[in-house]
C-alpha cells in the first residue's frame, strides 16, 4: 500500500522528528518546532491514484511519531510491519483516512476513537495480538474490507451489524467457536474467511448472506453443514477442507455455481478433502461434483407442504385426503402456534 517512498526518509530522521517538551508549557517556539516536525513527515507523502498516501512500513517503530496525527489530509496510511503496541486517541484527528494498514504489529487493542474515522473503507489489523474489537468500530459504516486475521479474537461486538457496506471480512486464524451473530447482518458480504478457528457448526442464518460468493471455513471442527447453506445461489467457492464432515446436505445440488471439485486454494468450486466422509458419499465424490449432485437428486426427501398452506388450518381440518408424516406435523404445530398462540392445534394422523 502507498506510493513510492523517498529514499532520503531514514529511520534516524524519523526518530528525530518527535520533539520533547520536557514537561514545559508550550511556547510559540515549541509550536513552530512541532509544525516543522509534522511538515518533515508531510514531505514524504505522495499522491497515489489520487489519494494522499504515506507509508511508514518496516521502520521498527515502537510508537508512531506524535506529529503524524497532525496530517489530517492523509487518506492512506501504512504502519505495517512495525512494533506498535498501541495507537493514541489522536488517531481520530485523521478523519480523512480511507485506508489504514496496521498489519504485523503488536497491538493488543484498537482505540475506541477509531470509530470516528467515518470515511474509512479498508482496515487491515491482521497479525497482531487483538483479543477483542471495540464496539465503536461499528460506527465505521463505510468499511468495505476488514481483516482481523491472525489474532486472538473469540467474538465480535453486535455493533458491527451496521456494516452493511462490508464486502470482505477475514476472521481466519482466531479463536472463534461460533460465527458472530453480527456477521449474518452484513448483507453485502461477498467474501467470508473463517479458516482455522474453533467452529463446530454453521447457523441456519448463513442463508441471509445472499450475496456471498466465497466462503472459507477450512481447518475447523465442523460436523454438519446446514441445508440453508445450499440456498446461497451466488456461492462460487466453498472450502470445507480439514473438518469433521461425514456427509453433505441433500440440497447441495442447488449450489449450481459450484461447478467442480477444487484442489488449489484459489480455485472456484467445492473444496472438501480431509473429511471423514461416510459411504457412499466418499465413493460418489470420486466421480466428481456432477456425480455427487446426481446422487443427491435421487435421494427421496420427506413430504413437503407448500408454504402457502401452512397457516390454513381449515384445509387440514376438513379433508382426509392430505396426510403428512410426523416430522411435518411438528412443523405444522410450530407454525400454527406462532401464528395463533391461543388456538388449539389439530394434528393430522397418518
Amino acid at each position: 500500500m502507498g506510493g513510492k517512498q523517498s529514499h532520503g526518509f531514514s529511520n534516524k530522521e524519523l526518530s528525530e522528528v518527535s520533539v520533547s517538551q520536557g514537561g514545559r508549557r508550550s511556547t510559540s517556539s515549541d509550536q513552530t518546532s512541532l509544525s516543522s516536525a509534522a511538515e518533515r513527515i508531510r514531505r514524504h507523502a505522495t499522491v497515489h491514484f489520487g489519494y494522499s498516501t504515506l507509508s511508514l512500513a518496516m521502520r521498527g517503530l515502537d510508537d508512531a511519531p506524535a506529529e503524524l496525527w497532525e496530517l489530517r489530509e492523509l487518506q492512506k496510511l501504512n504502519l505495517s510491519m512495525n512494533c506498535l503496541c498501541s495507537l493514541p486517541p489522536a488517531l481520530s484527528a485523521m478523519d480523512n483516512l480511507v485506508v489504514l494498514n496496521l498489519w504485523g504489529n503488536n497491538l493488543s487493542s484498537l482505540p475506541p476513537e477509531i470509530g470516528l474515522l467515518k470515511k474509512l473503507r479498508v482496515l487491515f489489523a491482521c497479525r497482531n495480538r487483538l483479543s477483542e474489537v471495540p464496539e465503536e468500530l461499528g460506527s465505521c459504516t463505510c468499511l468495505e474490507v476488514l481483516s482481523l486475521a491472525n489474532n486472538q479474537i473469540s467474538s465480535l461486538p453486535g455493533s458491527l451489524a451496521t456494516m452493511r457496506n462490508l464486502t470482505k471480512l477475514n476472521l481466519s486464524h482466531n479463536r472463534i467457536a461460533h460465527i458472530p451473530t453480527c456477521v449474518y447482518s452484513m448483507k453485502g458480504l461477498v467474501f467470508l474467511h473463517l479458516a482455522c478457528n474453533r467452529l463446530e457448526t454453521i447457523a441456519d442464518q448463513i442463508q441471509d448472506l445472499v450475496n456471498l460468493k466465497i466462503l472459507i471455513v477450512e481447518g475447523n471442527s465442523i460436523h454438519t453443514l446446514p441445508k440453508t447453506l445450499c440456498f446461497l445461489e451466488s456461492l462460487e467457492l466453498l472450502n470445507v477442507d480439514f473438518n469433521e464432515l461425514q456427509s453433505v446436505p441433500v440440497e447441495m445440488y442447488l449450489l449450481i455455481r459450484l461447478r467442480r471439485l477444487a484442489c488449489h486454494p484459489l480455485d472456484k468450486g467445492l473444496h472438501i478433502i480431509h473429511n471423514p466422509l461416510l459411504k457412499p458419499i466418499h465413493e460418489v465424490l470420486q466421480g466428481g461434483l456432477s456425480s455427487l449432485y446426481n446422487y443427491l437428486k435421487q435421494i427421496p426427501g420427506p413430504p413437503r407442504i407448500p408454504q402457502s398452506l401452512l397457516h390454513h388450518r381449515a384445509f387440514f381440518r376438513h379433508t382426509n385426503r392430505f396426510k403428512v408424516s410426523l416430522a411435518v406435523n411438528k412443523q405444522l404445530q410450530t407454525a400454527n402456534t406462532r401464528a395463533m398462540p391461543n388456538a388449539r392445534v389439530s394434528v393430522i394422523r397418518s
Side-chain angles (χ1 to χ4, degrees):
M1 189 199 82
K4 182 179 180 181
Q5 295 182 15
S6 298
H7 296 294
F9 196 37
S10 65
N11 288 347
K12 180 179 180 181
E13 181 183 5
L14 184 61
S15 65
E16 292 173 350
V17 165
S18 297
V19 178
S20 174
Q21 298 184 29
R24 296 179 288 108
R25 294 185 63 180
S26 298
T27 64
S28 58
S29 176
D30 290 329
Q31 292 297 331
T32 300
S33 297
L34 283 170
S35 297
S36 176
E39 184 59 35
R40 290 173 65 187
I41 299 177
R42 182 181 286 114
R43 285 200 300 265
H44 299 280
T46 63
V47 176
H48 190 65
F49 291 108
Y51 292 95
S52 176
T53 303
L54 177 65
S55 178
L56 298 178
M58 296 185 288
R59 300 284 180 174
L61 298 175
D62 294 317
D63 295 291
E67 296 78 17
L68 172 64
W69 315 115
E70 297 179 30
L71 308 182
R72 294 187 58 181
E73 75 275 12
L74 283 181
Q75 295 171 290
K76 293 186 177 183
L77 176 60
N78 188 350
L79 291 169
S80 65
M81 299 297 288
N82 281 291
C83 303
L84 302 177
C85 294
S86 63
L87 294 174
L91 169 69
S92 63
M94 306 187 83
D95 51 6
N96 285 306
L97 274 184
V98 175
V99 178
L100 177 58
N101 191 346
L102 304 171
W103 181 83
N105 280 280
N106 295 318
L107 297 172
S108 57
S109 64
L110 296 174
E113 290 78 9
I114 198 170
L116 297 175
L117 304 181
K118 302 297 186 181
K119 297 180 181 179
L120 197 64
R121 297 210 305 262
V122 178
L123 174 60
F124 296 117
C126 39
R127 293 194 180 277
N128 279 279
R129 298 179 180 178
L130 301 175
S131 58
E132 59 182 7
V133 177
E135 290 188 9
E136 290 79 3
L137 185 61
S139 298
C140 299
T141 54
C142 289
L143 264 180
E144 298 173 6
V145 178
L146 175 60
S147 179
L148 298 168
N150 292 90
N151 280 286
Q152 302 167 18
I153 297 170
S154 58
S155 63
L156 293 179
S159 60
L160 269 59
T162 59
M163 292 184 174
R164 301 299 175 90
N165 292 314
L166 200 66
T167 59
K168 297 180 181 179
L169 176 60
N170 190 343
L171 296 171
S172 62
H173 296 270
N174 276 286
R175 301 176 179 178
I176 299 173
H178 304 281
I179 298 178
T181 304
C182 62
V183 172
Y184 299 118
S185 297
M186 300 173 180
K187 308 296 186 182
L189 277 184
V190 174
F191 173 94
L192 179 57
H193 200 337
L194 285 157
C196 300
N197 276 282
R198 301 175 179 178
L199 300 176
E200 294 186 3
T201 60
I202 297 176
D204 287 340
Q205 293 98 308
I206 193 70
Q207 67 180 328
D208 295 338
L209 303 180
V210 293
N211 294 304
L212 201 62
K213 292 184 178 181
I214 298 176
L215 176 60
I216 304 174
V217 291
E218 67 173 319
N220 283 280
S221 300
I222 299 172
H223 298 282
T224 59
L225 297 175
K227 70 176 183 179
T228 54
L229 175 66
C230 305
F231 302 151
L232 299 179
E233 297 179 355
S234 298
L235 204 60
E236 298 176 356
L237 189 158
L238 174 60
N239 190 334
V240 293
D241 288 346
F242 296 94
N243 275 280
E244 300 296 330
L245 296 175
Q246 295 185 348
S247 187
V248 296
V250 172
E251 296 83 0
M252 181 165 277
Y253 67 85
L254 297 174
L255 297 174
I256 58 175
R257 293 181 182 269
L258 294 182
R259 294 177 178 152
R260 61 174 179 171
L261 292 177
C263 296
H264 190 280
L266 298 180
D267 285 346
K268 293 181 179 180
L270 175 63
H271 301 248
I272 196 170
I273 63 171
H274 296 287
N275 280 278
L277 293 168
L278 299 177
K279 296 180 180 180
I281 297 297
H282 178 75
E283 285 74 11
V284 170
L285 277 171
Q286 304 303 314
L289 193 57
S290 58
S291 296
L292 174 64
Y293 284 179
N294 289 333
Y295 169 77
L296 295 175
K297 290 177 183 178
Q298 297 173 8
I299 297 178
R304 298 179 180 178
I305 301 176
Q307 189 69 26
S308 59
L309 296 179
L310 279 177
H311 298 292
H312 293 276
R313 295 179 61 220
F315 175 83
F316 297 103
R317 187 184 298 119
H318 299 297
T319 181
N320 293 321
R321 292 178 297 172
F322 199 98
K323 297 184 178 182
V324 293
S325 67
L326 178 61
V328 178
N329 274 313
K330 289 182 178 179
Q331 181 185 9
L332 180 61
Q333 282 183 307
T334 302
N336 277 278
T337 301
R338 290 176 180 173
M340 296 174 286
N342 297 322
R344 183 178 178 181
V345 180
S346 299
V347 179
I348 300 173
R349 301 185 182 278
S350 300

